[in-house]
Amino acid sequence: MSFVITTPLYYVNDKPHLGSVYTTIICDSIARFKRLLGEDVIFITGVDEHGLKIQRTANEKGIDPKTHCDEISKIFDINWENWNISYDKFIRTSSKNHEKVVNEFYERVKQSDDIYMGVQKGWYCVGCEEFKDNPENSATYKCPIHQKNLEWKNEENLFFRLSKYQKQIEKIINDSTFIEPVERKNEIINFVSRGLKDFSISRTNVSWGIPVPDHDNHTFYVWFDALLGYVSAISSNAKECSLKNSILSGWPADIHLIGKDILRFHAVYWPAMLISAGMKVPKKVFGHGFLTREGQKMGKSLGNVLDPDLLLSKYGNDPVRWYLIKDISLGNDGDFQDKRFVDIINNDLANTIGNLLNRTSSMSRKWFENKVPNNEKISNENKLAHLAKISVESYLEKFNQYKLDLAANEVLSLAIKTNLYLNDNQPWMLIKKKDNLPIVKEIIYNVLESTRIIGLLLLPLLPELSSKINDQLGSIYKKEVQWEQQLKWGLLVGNSSLPKPYPIINKLEYE
Ligand code: MSP
């Protein structure tokens, strides 16, 4: 059985912004964590290329939509490589394979008698690609997400009988594990309790979309097409891209991680579409919060957009990952503050974790011939071994519950306690007396061993920093040994060489 995790499929109207980097980093950490636990992971990301928004963006640039999509999709792909994102599948919804899956799915839904022709009238946000529930003063109302006016639409469209699935959707969303966090679940329960309305799944005024097979001039509504990207991505390695092969290759998804603004699509429309097509619904939809900048919404008009490329080239991957994972509780909104960012990186990564490794390794090299001390008394009966055991257990529990901030805090807290242990025991004083050598060996061994465990715990969170810690401890992680086994105390081998230390993370300056 595979563990299937997905990011949203990002619109290609623009290059990736910090919000997309955020979701993708979180998914990447979860995917790495599950792989380390021995699961067969399928981590899906990709791009959502059709629809009016993309069509207009290309028109404004004076190029055809396909050329525009090729250009931006490439940027997304390169971007994820730069961020060291370990995705398994990258789906483009303009691909022929995907179109095939959409057509097959549509046929199934039609056979369930869930498609009919009707007239769609309403106020539409092109940014969201969504009809809004007739807000007050609709003509002057601005979508709070895109700050743009709504557009009036009145056209003949094909509809999907969502209303037929009222009872089944109520049951699914009331399940305690389907929607997280609970505030989001309650929003959806509220929305569904007002009664589900059928929604239109085709457009007549959008040429940049997948043509509906039996209706000239109709293309599929971009959301109907995009959600199926998850399904086509899974079967992309099979001989043939099809619903059957998707099911055989791992569908349903274990978790769709998305922003809170697109929850309705994933937690209501999508399950109903899948039931109609005789397919299983995803196991979980997690709606994370929004990122703001120094307390304000990020937006081009406000001039406060944080360019992820700049962040990456200026600070590197680990600092940005650490801030986004550790400082924001997944599910809540989070704020990116420059000063806080610098302080957190300097305190947590440079002073606490980096310094712990650097000073202990230096002492060990100086006193024990560039090696880990040969500690005869490796035992679990010491304070640090006990603390590490508790930290590891709690970290695993938190990570399994997708509380990544708390898992990251567990690692940090073990590093803080290890530093305290070192300071309390003062091996640099003890070493002055020859009789103290055994006890100094034990202290240094324990601290290095705890640092080894810290490095391992960082593997899914900060893979690059973790690998530097590994290098400095003499490349001790073993691919062939289960990761969880390696989290046990006492595996650092006495007398093994310690390479010359270098700072694993540079301190940042606040400008
Ligand atoms: N194309 C659709 C998703 C289709 S999934 C089958 C879409 N794309 S998007 O590019 O507009 O948005 C992608 C994700 O970015 C959404 O989950 C949205 O919530 C998220 N974010 C947009 N702005 C954000 C922040 N400021 N902060 C965090 N996430 C944000 O919607």
Side-chain angles (χ1 to χ4, degrees):
M1 271 252 291
S2 305
F3 177 84
V4 179
I5 178 164
T6 72
T7 71
L9 306 183
Y10 302 108
Y11 284 129
V12 290
N13 56 313
D14 214 339
K15 59 186 204 145
H17 55 71
L18 197 63
S20 6
V21 170
Y22 174 58
T23 323
T24 313
I25 282 177
I26 300 290
C27 282
D28 179 65
S29 269
I30 298 172
R32 287 174 188 270
F33 176 70
K34 294 284 180 182
R35 285 190 201 108
L36 288 166
L37 292 182
E39 297 202 35
D40 170 27
V41 173
I42 306 179
F43 169 13
I44 297 171
T45 188
V47 281
D48 183 357
E49 304 184 276
H50 290 130
L52 192 53
K53 172 152 84 173
I54 310 298
Q55 185 177 306
R56 282 190 185 163
T57 310
N59 284 348
E60 278 158 25
K61 278 167 74 181
I63 55 176
D64 71 293
K66 172 84 174 79
T67 311
H68 166 79
C69 290
D70 287 349
E71 212 174 89
I72 307 282
S73 300
K74 184 107 198 86
I75 296 178
F76 266 89
D77 204 6
I78 294 172
N79 180 66
W80 298 144
E81 212 166 286
N82 292 341
W83 284 96
N84 195 6
I85 299 298
S86 64
Y87 67 80
D88 301 293
K89 311 268 182 189
F90 184 91
I91 175 78
R92 291 187 60 181
T93 57
S94 64
S95 67
K96 278 285 158 211
N97 276 342
H98 173 69
E99 180 170 340
K100 205 173 149 284
V101 165
V102 172
N103 285 336
E104 195 191 342
F105 189 89
Y106 170 66
E107 278 310 316
R108 283 212 195 175
V109 173
K110 226 169 64 175
Q111 271 161 29
S112 299
D113 191 26
D114 283 338
I115 303 288
Y116 65 92
M117 188 64 86
V119 173
Q120 173 79 65
K121 284 186 194 171
W123 290 97
Y124 193 74
C125 170
V126 179
C128 297
E129 293 280 16
E130 183 182 21
F131 280 98
K132 300 290 174 183
D133 322 323
N134 291 329
E136 267 178 50
N137 306 320
S138 299
T140 50
Y141 173 91
K142 282 197 179 353
C143 160
I145 296 168
H146 297 95
Q147 300 299 326
K148 291 215 171 110
N149 285 86
L150 304 181
E151 297 180 18
W152 176 252
K153 303 268 175 213
N154 178 359
E155 59 178 49
E156 206 176 48
N157 288 163
L158 290 166
F159 279 73
F160 172 73
R161 284 187 216 284
L162 179 65
S163 54
K164 179 173 142 187
Y165 295 95
Q166 178 80 29
K167 284 268 158 324
Q168 275 150 295
I169 294 297
E170 277 172 8
K171 187 155 179 271
I172 292 170
I173 60 174
N174 273 292
D175 181 288
S176 61
T177 55
F178 183 64
I179 302 174
E180 279 193 58
V182 70
E183 306 86 274
R184 300 280 134 69
K185 176 181 162 187
N186 293 338
E187 281 163 30
I188 293 293
I189 290 180
N190 226 328
F191 166 68
V192 174
S193 71
R194 298 201 290 271
L196 292 175
K197 295 191 190 83
D198 299 346
F199 72 96
S200 55
I201 61 138
S202 77
R203 296 290 181 266
T204 48
N205 63 351
V206 185
S207 57
W208 181 236
I210 298 177
V212 179
D214 42 9
H215 290 85
D216 284 353
N217 302 328
H218 285 248
T219 53
F220 283 109
Y221 168 43
V222 59
W223 270 101
F224 185 83
D225 147 9
L227 287 160
L228 279 157
Y230 300 136
V231 171
S232 37
I234 292 192
S235 74
S236 63
N237 279 4
K239 260 200 186 137
E240 194 196 11
C241 224
S242 67
L243 297 180
K244 186 169 159 234
N245 279 336
S246 260
I247 295 163
L248 290 173
S249 311
W251 186 260
D254 288 78
I255 173 167
H256 290 312
L257 186 77
I258 52 163
K260 58 184 177 180
D261 54 326
I262 56 173
L263 204 62
R264 276 185 202 182
F265 291 100
H266 285 78
V268 180
Y269 295 18
W270 183 221
M273 285 163 59
L274 286 162
I275 300 170
S276 166
M279 290 177 70
K280 285 197 177 150
V281 303
K283 293 181 198 151
K284 188 187 290 299
V285 179
F286 199 116
H288 68 67
F290 262 38
L291 293 182
T292 50
R293 170 94 199 264
E294 311 286 347
Q296 278 193 311
K297 188 180 181 303
M298 265 184 262
K300 281 188 189 152
S301 49
L302 289 167
N304 65 349
V305 177
L306 259 179
D307 179 352
D309 280 346
L310 279 182
L311 274 183
L312 185 61
S313 57
K314 197 163 164 197
Y315 301 116
N317 199 339
D318 289 325
V320 182
R321 277 179 85 107
W322 184 252
Y323 186 90
L324 295 177
I325 294 173
K326 185 234 161 192
D327 206 47
I328 301 166
S329 155
L330 191 62
N332 293 348
D333 288 346
D335 196 30
F336 198 102
Q337 297 171 9
D338 293 353
K339 170 112 180 43
R340 188 168 170 77
F341 172 73
V342 168
D343 288 347
I344 283 182
I345 300 314
N346 288 347
N347 287 334
D348 299 356
L349 300 187
N351 294 347
T352 305
I353 297 176
N355 207 14
L356 171 70
L357 173 67
N358 209 285
R359 67 179 174 146
T360 320
S361 168
S362 302
M363 284 186 271
S364 194
R365 280 170 54 87
K366 188 167 162 202
W367 300 333
F368 306 108
E369 298 166 346
N370 300 332
K371 288 181 179 157
V372 173
N374 190 14
N375 172 32
E376 282 97 34
K377 288 204 303 185
I378 299 177
S379 136
N380 293 351
E381 294 308 313
N382 70 75
K383 193 173 163 196
L384 217 43
H386 182 65
L387 288 171
K389 184 168 182 280
I390 296 175
S391 289
V392 167
E393 282 167 6
S394 168
Y395 164 100
L396 292 172
E397 186 190 326
K398 303 285 164 34
F399 221 131
N400 274 315
Q401 297 166 340
Y402 303 121
K403 293 179 176 159
L404 272 67
D405 59 322
L406 300 184
N409 266 305
E410 248 350 300
V411 189
L412 181 65
S413 134
L414 180 59
I416 292 171
K417 287 171 190 158
T418 311
N419 271 313
L420 273 177
Y421 171 91
L422 195 60
N423 293 346
D424 287 350
N425 284 292
Q426 305 206 347
W428 49 89
M429 299 302 287
L430 296 171
I431 194 76
K432 291 179 182 165
K433 268 198 184 164
K434 221 177 162 201
D435 292 355
N436 287 333
L437 201 61
I439 175 88
V440 172
K441 278 186 178 177
E442 194 183 334
I443 294 164
I444 296 293
Y445 179 89
N446 286 345
V447 174
L448 286 173
E449 174 60 352
S450 183
T451 310
R452 180 187 70 87
I453 291 175
I454 290 166
L456 275 174
L457 294 176
L458 285 175
L459 200 49
L461 299 166
L462 308 181
E464 290 173 18
L465 192 75
S466 170
S467 144
K468 287 181 189 159
I469 296 176
N470 181 38
D471 284 351
Q472 297 215 358
L473 291 174
S475 302
I476 34 95
Y477 308 164
K478 294 190 176 54
K479 274 222 163 101
E480 64 285 3
V481 179
Q482 265 197 355
W483 179 65
E484 265 178 293
Q485 289 304 321
Q486 296 186 64
L487 295 173
K488 299 222 160 93
W489 187 266
L491 300 180
L492 187 63
V493 179
N495 253 342
S496 54
S497 300
L498 281 174
K500 200 163 184 258
Y502 59 90
I504 52 170
I505 192 112
N506 292 322
K507 276 204 164 187
L508 307 179
E509 296 285 338
Y510 179 62
E511 289 156 13

